[in-house]
Amino acid sequence: MTSSAPQAPKRPTTLTKHGDNRTDEWYWLREKSDPEVIALLEAENEHLKAYLEGTGALQEELFEEFRSRIQETDLSVPVRKHGWWYYSRTEEGRQYGISCRKADVDGKPAEEEIVLLDQNEVAGDAEFFSLGAFSVAPTGERLAYSTDLSGSETFTLRVRDLNTMTDLEDVIEDVYYGATFNRDGSVLFYTRQDEAKRPYQVWRHVIGTPAAEDVKVFQEDDERFFVGVGGSKTEDYLLIVTSSSLTSETWILPAGDPTGEFQVVEPRRQGVEYHLSHYKDAERDEFYVTTNEDSPNFRLMVTPAATPGRKHWQEVIAHRPDVKLDGVEPMAGYLIMSERAEGTARLALYELATGTHSVMEQPETVYTAGAGGNAEFDTHVVRYSYTSMVTPRSVYEYDVRTGERTLLKQQPVLGGYDPTAYTTERVWAKAADGVDVPVSLVYRADRAKDGGPAVLYGYGAYEMSTDPYFSSFRLSLLDRGFVFAIAHIRGGGDLGRLWYEDGKFEKKPNTFSDFVAAAEHLVAEGYTSPQTLIARGGSAGGLLMGAVTNLRPDLFAGVIAEVPFVDTLTTMLDPSLPLTVHEYEEWGNPEEEKFYNVIKSYSPYDNVVPAAYPAMLVTAGLNDPRVSYWEPAKWVQRLREANTGPNQIVMKIEMGAGHGGPSGRYDAWKDEAMVYAWILERALKKG
């Protein structure tokens, strides 16, 4: 039994641009301070609760399944740095992680554990908690950490003395995510946001002085650019990187001279990106530079650290049209290279002495590998993570001298998980323009191709790749006969830079038609059917969900749109909103009529028409700084009014969180159990 859906009154607002008039009946929902708005959002949550009332037992069953597979008291693989082994751990029944370290004794962790930060204690009774910065000074004596208790992504920065385990009086409000110490830990650098939530300033704080005396050392006035501050792996340099979607610029400062002035490496040029990695040993003191100048998939350059400017760059690895160079990380005698080829995130090693480039082979054909945990420079082992859709996340070390590979840890999956009971593969769907679109699949090996239930996930924006990964939660679907699929659509970076560029600006509609093609392929090959197929995506992937639902409402039994960017045109026309100007280089600036018309052609809110829409589950966060809550709230109202079919459109609003939803792990598991219950109800019984 379900209650009637909340209905917001219409108060039409006419929006005019380029001589085009649009009517927005629910524009007024952006007034967050209006009690009527809050009442509507709360009513949406009550409506969802009533709608899902009959699934309570199923949600509890799913939650217990999730929990039964997870080793709740667990710890990460320790990482050695400066005589300490750092790791994090979790405890059964506690929502958040605990960050710890142990002293190094003859190359191994000591017995005694030192807790650096217990996030559960810091969070206290807060409804939401997010840890932003977590940065230990090179001396190991201080920790900078920042917290957000609302989901607004605005943090309070604190400094902890790791000798006494007490917080100092240094408290800095209204900072962004990161923070970086200088070499001796006496100075801390951090970033601030402007009114549009754009990180645009870097500040210097001397430990032990009032925050009011902090000094601004950098400001980025171009609203397209975001600013970040960090340090080189060698700890010899501090780096400020300012970047837009298409252009980047780096400023450097010797870490031993924190009050000096940052110097630009190479002034920005529109459309050119470059990124630095410092390498220093007895023979070399160099920056390795990855750049897309005349190289869409990036090439590798080297330059003396003393003269880092472009005129001194020398090519090391030329551009490869079939391989994207995502980045390099230095270690003694080698560069660890993160690459992307044939839609796979892989690792390679470049030996400096010989100039030899070798790909690190892996046991499966559809997998994801990435460097991680390589905190020390002077080592002969490469730490990396590995996963596939059937292999839990694994941490390996690879010895560059012997070629020996050692498994340090694989994510435990309790309850007798057998990877051979499942099959993963990659298929290719033919897009509307003839392009082959990769789709990664996983399902039980004994599942028949009988048009059964499936979930198709997609994102397709910002050159972000949705690489194959393992999920123990997903087993609850696979064991009930589902196929889980990832559509590697244009707009993402799955097949390199050109794949991304073929799904943005005027070519953005390719993203949506690719997803439709992937869904049609799964149906045509018998993996699923329109009566049993669920589509899922969030944020920019939520825009994808809205666009494909408008294009093909008949193709899906259900659609899950999480914090969806669906009022695209109106938001992109309002530069006062968070992130809008930065987004011009992703979607185009609708102040230009050509981009206005393109965005209007797919903006989900602007393209809702009378149709029999699939069942839909939409989520939002009241404090979301990335996709304002009113976008999904308005969209749901318009969808319900236009829906000519029997399927229900429901919405969940996180009233005390932001873009990422619930922050505690148990709360997140319960939230996912709710989503899975909705999926099972929709895929197995449309409505």
Side-chain angles (χ1 to χ4, degrees):
M1 197 76 191
T2 64
S3 61
S4 58
Q7 185 173 356
K10 296 181 179 180
R11 297 169 189 166
T13 297
T14 300
L15 305 172
T16 303
K17 194 70 181 179
H18 304 301
D20 180 48
N21 294 323
R22 294 179 299 129
T23 300
D24 187 345
E25 300 88 351
W26 293 283
Y27 188 84
W28 66 275
L29 290 180
R30 65 200 287 129
E31 298 299 329
K32 187 176 180 180
S33 60
D34 186 342
E36 194 172 354
V37 171
I38 300 301
L40 173 72
L41 302 181
E42 291 174 340
E44 289 284 7
N45 283 338
E46 289 301 314
H47 174 59
L48 175 67
K49 182 179 178 181
Y51 178 70
L52 293 174
E53 187 176 6
T55 69
L58 177 58
Q59 290 186 53
E60 185 62 29
E61 178 185 344
L62 288 163
F63 175 76
E64 290 304 326
E65 285 181 17
F66 296 169
R67 192 169 180 176
S68 70
R69 299 189 192 103
I70 295 171
Q71 187 167 296
E72 297 178 58
T73 298
D74 201 2
L75 74 160
S76 66
V77 179
V79 173
R80 188 171 66 179
K81 188 174 183 180
H82 295 323
W84 296 97
W85 290 88
Y86 291 88
Y87 61 97
S88 62
R89 59 179 178 83
T90 55
E91 293 181 354
E92 183 174 350
R94 306 188 81 189
Q95 293 271 26
Y96 303 104
I98 303 167
S99 299
C100 310
R101 72 180 181 185
K102 293 182 178 182
D104 179 81
V105 179
D106 298 326
K108 295 182 179 180
E111 289 294 325
E112 181 185 3
E113 176 181 88
I114 301 172
V115 174
L116 304 181
L117 189 73
D118 186 336
Q119 295 180 42
N120 301 282
E121 294 181 359
V122 177
D125 297 327
E127 182 179 349
F128 179 92
F129 171 80
S130 176
L131 181 67
F134 183 90
S135 178
V136 177
T139 61
E141 295 181 333
R142 286 174 177 157
L143 166 69
Y145 71 97
S146 63
T147 57
D148 167 22
L149 300 181
S150 70
S152 65
E153 300 184 43
T154 299
F155 294 82
T156 299
L157 180 63
R158 293 178 171 85
V159 178
R160 177 163 293 184
D161 185 325
L162 297 184
N163 293 316
T164 63
M165 289 300 163
T166 58
D167 285 354
L168 305 178
E169 295 183 2
D170 305 67
V171 178
I172 308 170
E173 302 287 351
D174 300 325
V175 305
Y176 198 53
Y177 278 97
T180 301
F181 283 103
N182 72 318
R183 179 175 288 163
D184 67 7
S186 63
V187 177
L188 187 63
F189 293 85
Y190 61 91
T191 56
R192 289 194 186 278
Q193 299 169 296
D194 62 13
E195 293 182 356
K197 307 289 285 186
R198 175 181 68 98
Y200 79 120
Q201 293 176 336
V202 177
W203 288 73
R204 182 179 68 227
H205 172 77
V206 177
I207 304 301
T209 66
E213 297 178 3
D214 289 358
V215 176
K216 181 177 65 177
V217 299
F218 186 88
Q219 178 165 314
E220 176 57 74
D221 293 323
D222 190 327
E223 294 178 279
R224 299 172 301 160
F225 284 71
F226 280 25
V227 172
V229 62
S232 65
K233 183 175 177 178
T234 60
E235 297 177 341
D236 286 340
Y237 288 94
L238 299 165
L239 298 90
I240 294 173
V241 177
T242 178
S243 59
S244 71
S245 294
L246 300 175
T247 307
S248 70
E249 180 180 78
T250 300
W251 297 66
I252 61 175
L253 176 68
D257 182 24
T259 59
E261 292 190 10
F262 283 84
Q263 301 295 320
V264 66
V265 171
E266 180 63 29
R268 70 190 64 173
R269 287 173 292 147
Q270 180 64 20
V272 175
E273 301 171 57
Y274 68 92
H275 309 282
L276 303 184
S277 294
H278 184 230
Y279 184 100
K280 186 177 181 180
D281 61 16
E283 299 177 359
R284 294 178 173 87
D285 186 3
E286 302 167 329
F287 282 114
Y288 284 88
V289 185
T290 56
T291 180
N292 70 335
E293 183 180 16
D294 302 322
S295 308
N297 274 341
F298 288 76
R299 56 179 168 156
L300 182 64
M301 317 292 281
V302 67
T303 184
T307 55
R310 171 173 167 264
K311 66 181 180 180
H312 301 287
W313 296 359
Q314 298 293 320
E315 187 172 86
V316 178
I317 296 180
H319 176 258
R320 295 165 291 174
D322 57 342
V323 179
K324 167 88 183 307
L325 177 57
D326 282 335
V328 300
E329 183 178 351
M331 61 178 287
Y334 291 83
L335 299 177
I336 308 167
M337 308 188 68
S338 297
E339 301 180 340
R340 185 169 296 278
E342 298 180 345
T344 298
R346 72 185 193 188
L347 291 172
L349 290 173
Y350 182 81
E351 187 174 8
L352 297 177
T354 64
T356 302
H357 172 277
S358 56
V359 176
M360 296 174 61
E361 299 297 331
Q362 306 296 346
E364 298 173 277
T365 56
V366 182
Y367 69 88
T368 302
N374 298 290
E376 294 187 322
F377 175 85
D378 190 13
T379 179
H380 54 82
V381 294
V382 178
R383 177 82 62 87
Y384 71 95
S385 64
Y386 176 90
T387 187
S388 76
M389 297 180 83
V390 299
T391 303
R393 182 180 182 274
S394 307
V395 178
Y396 285 91
E397 279 189 347
Y398 177 82
D399 192 316
V400 298
R401 303 169 305 177
T402 65
E404 182 181 359
R405 191 189 318 262
T406 303
L407 176 63
L408 301 181
K409 181 175 182 178
Q410 186 171 90
Q411 172 192 340
V413 183
L414 306 183
Y417 170 66
D418 178 9
T420 65
Y422 304 87
T423 296
T424 182
E425 62 175 316
R426 176 161 289 167
V427 299
W428 297 81
K430 188 70 70 176
D433 59 357
V435 171
D436 289 327
V437 178
V439 184
S440 297
L441 307 176
V442 64
Y443 49 89
R444 282 194 64 91
D446 56 3
R447 183 191 190 272
K449 287 188 180 180
D450 57 359
V455 173
L456 178 62
Y457 178 86
Y459 186 77
Y462 304 110
E463 203 177 2
M464 293 180 63
S465 302
T466 309
D467 295 312
Y469 66 99
F470 179 83
S471 166
S472 63
F473 290 179
R474 192 186 295 147
L475 298 176
S476 291
L477 295 179
L478 303 185
D479 289 345
R480 288 174 170 86
F482 276 74
V483 170
F484 181 85
I486 300 172
H488 304 284
I489 51 184
R490 281 174 283 185
D494 307 65
L495 270 70
R497 173 56 61 90
L498 296 180
W499 192 251
Y500 165 55
E501 293 179 348
D502 212 21
K504 64 182 298 189
F505 294 145
E506 296 98 326
K507 296 180 179 180
K508 189 61 195 175
N510 286 338
T511 301
F512 316 130
S513 57
D514 282 2
F515 191 87
V516 169
E520 290 176 332
H521 182 82
L522 296 181
V523 171
E525 294 298 314
Y527 289 103
T528 188
S529 71
Q531 292 74 40
T532 57
L533 176 59
I534 305 294
R536 185 174 187 180
S539 194
L543 185 159
L544 168 69
M545 294 299 101
V548 300
T549 302
N550 288 331
L551 286 172
R552 290 292 307 276
D554 61 310
L555 191 53
F556 308 100
V559 173
I560 303 166
E562 297 167 291
V563 290
F565 179 37
V566 285
D567 193 16
T568 321
L569 184 56
T570 302
T571 291
M572 292 302 298
L573 283 166
D574 188 349
S576 70
L577 291 176
L579 313 184
T580 291
V581 175
H582 177 74
E583 300 287 293
Y584 289 161
E585 291 187 348
E586 178 70 24
W587 315 99
N589 184 352
E591 292 293 333
E592 298 180 42
E593 190 168 2
K594 68 173 182 177
F595 286 125
Y596 177 93
N597 292 330
V598 172
I599 296 172
K600 185 182 177 183
S601 74
Y602 62 74
S603 175
Y605 187 62
D606 292 290
N607 287 279
V608 173
V609 296
Y613 282 97
M616 300 183 73
L617 173 61
V618 182
T619 71
L622 184 63
N623 300 326
D624 191 340
R626 297 171 184 257
V627 176
S628 300
Y629 71 88
W630 62 74
E631 294 199 35
K634 295 193 309 180
W635 184 49
V636 163
Q637 291 293 319
R638 185 168 279 183
L639 282 167
R640 285 181 182 145
E641 182 178 71
N643 188 18
T644 62
N647 296 323
Q648 295 276 347
I649 299 167
V650 294
M651 185 175 185
K652 180 183 180 183
I653 313 285
E654 293 292 342
M655 301 300 288
H659 200 63
S663 58
R665 60 174 179 159
Y666 292 99
D667 293 339
W669 300 350
K670 289 178 180 177
D671 193 63
E672 191 71 349
M674 180 272 292
V675 173
Y676 271 36
W678 186 91
I679 289 173
L680 290 169
E681 289 285 302
R682 303 290 71 73
L684 303 180
K685 184 182 70 174
K686 188 176 180 183

